[in-house]
Amino acid sequence: MFSARIAENFTSPTHGGELADPQIVLENKDPVCGDQIRISIAVDDGSITQARFRAWGCATSLATANILCVWMEGKQLADCVAATPEELAEQLGTLTPEQRHCHEIAVNLVAQLQPESVA
Amino acid sequence: MSNLSGYFDYNATTPLSDAVKAAMVDAMEQFENPSAAYAAPDGVKTLMAQARADVAALIGADPAQIVFTSGATESNNWVLRSILESQDRSGAFVTSAIEHDATLASGKMICDQQGRNLRIVSPDSEGIVPAFAIEQACQGDVSLVSLMLTNNETGAIQPVREVSGIARQTNAFFHVDAVQAAGKLSVDVSSLCCDSLSLSAHKFHGPKGVGALYIKNPDALTPMIVGGGQEAGLRAGTENIVGIAGMGAAAAEARARLADRTVHVHALRTALLSELHTRNLSFQVNGPSDQAQTALCTLNLSFPGIRAESLVARLGLVDGIKVSLGSACSTNKHSRHSHVLQAMGLDEARLVGSMRISFGRYTTHGDITRLAAALEDGLGVFQRLAAAE
């Protein structure tokens, strides 16, 4: 039902929370199933130094939020902006047909990253 | 019985009891074909007769009124098709919105094929289909009325006795789906005044793949399968002897244990509700507020502010606890809610936060404490993760 990657990130999320003064905030609300994810991001000199999430949703969407935060931290913002849907799919690992909408959620969230929004 | 400490899905299926296993093992030695002329008197024919008598006794029927099937889905499909195809198409089929798909889907398919009027009656907010609403739906020409005895998701006991009178007044055939009641509550076909009633062995510690159909007047049925004359000519094919032996043993055991079972599940339900209150967990019970109208082995709960899909997944992955989900994400991003809870008119938050807990013979008070602790832990985790929302 759940891949080991989804199960681990769902049951033991390492990046839950919210930054006090984030430079970037990504938000996704699925209009159909209602899943919500909010990722707050700290950027220093073009590099993502911290990412934390709040989420309400199914197990896979919660895991997706954690996976994205782990993936972003330590990366150059420009590299994250340039990430392809295929790269994000690799991060999420194997998804069942019922879970594949979480890949779209990940793509939608990353598409909100805009380098020029950071002062 | 091993590996059952986290099992809270008895409404989905139940484990074989030791007595049932023993009966099935014994039956494996009975290899003769029951239709053969040489079968020994104390052999397979006797086994089948005993099983039929035990199933009949469980529901107060005559053994001649019991037909073995592959389960209640077959029984429900068979009755609906048989009755509706034998009657004038002007008569409506009346049923409720909270029936299992074995009734709803098959009834809709048959009515669509026949151009027959299908009338689906909604329950009230506690999951009980009001008898007066069935009566209103039974105006005019009605061929068949079908109502479940106990709802599988909420445990709500339906007013079957009253509805049988309504069906009789309209000269309609009256079928009862008793899958979640047989072996759990006292079921008596004479008292219910039904024309047919379906049950499945695996809901009361019997094997899967075997069930029965009670038919008050076997002449009212057209054969399900023809060719061999088995089951009084109604369902041809060499009998599933091992399964039937298991179902008979399960029925006998369920009947003998019914009073103890009632006390046991009542105590478990009371303990779980008490544990949840003691832990200050916020929840709502989906189903009748009156316990007298509820199969007490079923507890459908909604936890506000969380998606139960996540909570159920966490219970399984972290705590090894199995409960059933009311609503889930599904393909095409469409939300998939319980048709029963939707029919009750529950709002979106209550739908997505719902889960079904069902317990039974092997559930212990230690299991209840473990479940309550796991719910408290999981709710805390998800509430923290969603805290900013």
Side-chain angles (χ1 to χ4, degrees):
Chain A
M1 184 178 177
F2 297 107
S3 70
R5 182 159 177 74
I6 294 295
E8 182 187 348
N9 280 274
F10 165 63
T11 57
S12 306
T14 51
H15 284 58
E18 185 153 25
L19 300 182
D21 191 20
Q23 278 85 19
I24 301 174
V25 174
L26 312 178
E27 289 185 298
N28 184 87
K29 181 168 183 179
D30 191 302
V32 177
C33 69
D35 283 0
Q36 298 177 41
I37 296 175
R38 174 186 168 94
I39 298 178
S40 51
I41 298 170
V43 181
D44 184 19
D45 195 22
S47 176
I48 295 177
T49 55
Q50 256 193 319
R52 292 291 181 271
F53 77 93
R54 298 287 190 194
W56 181 94
C58 66
T60 310
S61 72
L62 297 182
T64 297
N66 198 63
I67 288 169
L68 281 181
C69 289
V70 172
W71 171 75
M72 287 179 192
E73 272 192 1
K75 275 194 167 51
Q76 290 295 309
L77 180 58
D79 290 340
C80 292
V81 170
T84 64
E86 290 75 20
E87 186 176 349
L88 295 175
E90 276 180 34
Q91 289 299 315
L92 297 181
T94 305
L95 300 177
T96 65
E98 292 79 14
Q99 297 165 350
R100 282 183 195 148
H101 70 285
C102 289
H103 176 244
E104 293 177 34
I105 290 174
V107 171
N108 289 340
L109 285 165
V110 172
Q112 295 170 33
L113 285 172
Q114 297 295 330
E116 61 270 23
S117 65
V118 180
Chain B
M1 195 65 57
S2 63
N3 202 27
L4 283 173
S5 67
Y7 187 70
F8 290 93
D9 204 12
Y10 277 78
N11 282 14
T13 195
T14 58
L16 295 177
S17 73
D18 289 342
V20 169
K21 286 179 193 170
M24 294 176 74
V25 168
D26 285 348
M28 287 176 189
E29 299 299 327
Q30 304 287 339
F31 75 94
E32 296 99 335
N33 191 321
S35 298
Y38 52 75
D42 58 349
V44 69
K45 283 184 181 173
T46 304
L47 180 157
M48 282 201 56
Q50 184 61 53
R52 200 180 305 276
D54 286 332
V55 171
L58 182 65
I59 57 173
D62 186 287
Q65 297 169 316
I66 298 296
V67 185
F68 287 113
T69 66
S70 67
T73 297
E74 177 186 319
S75 300
N76 288 338
N77 271 258
W78 183 9
V79 164
L80 266 54
R81 184 165 291 282
S82 177
I83 299 305
L84 291 175
E85 288 188 343
S86 67
Q87 298 206 11
D88 187 282
R89 295 185 180 196
S90 60
F93 171 36
V94 175
T95 190
S96 86
I98 60 169
E99 300 299 305
H100 191 278
D101 252 3
T103 298
L104 279 175
S106 62
K108 184 174 187 313
M109 184 176 73
I110 297 164
C111 288
D112 284 350
Q113 288 169 347
Q114 297 185 332
R116 187 184 292 274
N117 189 359
L118 172 63
R119 299 174 188 165
I120 298 175
V121 181
S122 295
D124 62 20
S125 61
E126 294 194 342
I128 297 172
V129 182
F132 72 84
I134 296 270
E135 190 167 22
Q136 287 175 344
C138 282
Q139 300 302 311
D141 190 5
V142 177
S143 291
L144 173 63
V145 177
S146 183
L147 185 65
M148 61 185 3
L149 182 47
T150 302
N151 184 261
N152 51 312
E153 294 191 36
T154 64
I157 297 171
Q158 304 303 316
V160 166
R161 182 72 183 82
E162 292 168 78
V163 171
S164 72
I166 295 166
R168 205 163 43 251
Q169 283 178 349
T170 60
N171 293 317
F173 187 98
F174 182 46
H175 174 64
V176 173
D177 176 353
V179 166
Q180 293 292 343
K184 299 176 179 178
L185 307 174
S186 177
V187 177
D188 183 86
V189 290
S190 300
S191 158
L192 294 176
C193 292
C194 55
D195 293 305
S196 61
L197 179 144
S198 53
L199 55 160
S200 266
H202 75 101
K203 302 295 189 184
F204 52 94
H205 303 286
K208 295 167 181 62
V210 60
L213 175 65
Y214 156 80
I215 178 78
K216 185 177 181 182
N217 173 16
D219 292 338
L221 270 187
T222 52
M224 156 65 76
I225 310 171
V226 295
Q230 288 89 348
E231 295 297 293
L234 290 171
R235 189 176 185 271
T238 302
E239 296 88 342
N240 170 13
I241 299 301
V242 175
I244 288 169
M247 182 171 193
E253 198 175 31
R255 185 163 168 251
R257 299 178 63 98
L258 191 58
D260 288 345
R261 184 189 184 283
T262 304
V263 170
H264 181 55
V265 297
H266 182 238
L268 293 171
R269 182 187 182 91
T270 303
L272 179 55
L273 290 171
S274 174
E275 285 260 13
L276 297 179
H277 285 302
T278 301
R279 293 167 192 267
N280 288 319
L281 302 185
S282 180
F283 67 93
Q284 296 160 299
V285 177
N286 303 318
S289 50
D290 181 359
Q291 289 202 351
Q293 293 182 294
T294 314
L296 298 176
C297 57
T298 308
L299 194 50
N300 194 305
L301 302 177
S302 283
F303 295 96
I306 61 108
R307 186 182 275 282
E309 185 179 3
S310 292
L311 185 53
V312 169
R314 183 178 172 86
L315 291 174
L317 290 167
V318 175
D319 306 294
I321 288 174
K322 301 179 180 76
V323 301
S324 181
L325 188 60
S327 302
C329 277
S330 67
T331 53
N332 303 320
K333 294 166 63 177
H334 289 293
S335 207
R336 185 181 63 213
H337 296 321
S338 150
H339 73 283
V340 174
L341 301 185
Q342 277 187 306
M344 289 162 60
L346 303 192
D347 62 32
E348 179 76 9
R350 200 158 161 181
L351 288 169
V352 299
S354 66
M355 68 170 65
R356 180 189 71 188
I357 297 161
S358 52
F359 27 72
R361 180 169 167 182
Y362 302 108
T363 313
T364 67
H365 284 269
D367 295 331
I368 294 292
T369 299
R370 189 176 148 215
L371 171 60
L375 285 169
E376 181 179 25
D377 176 58
L379 287 168
V381 168
F382 295 125
Q383 283 162 357
R384 285 192 293 278
L385 285 177
E389 300 303 323

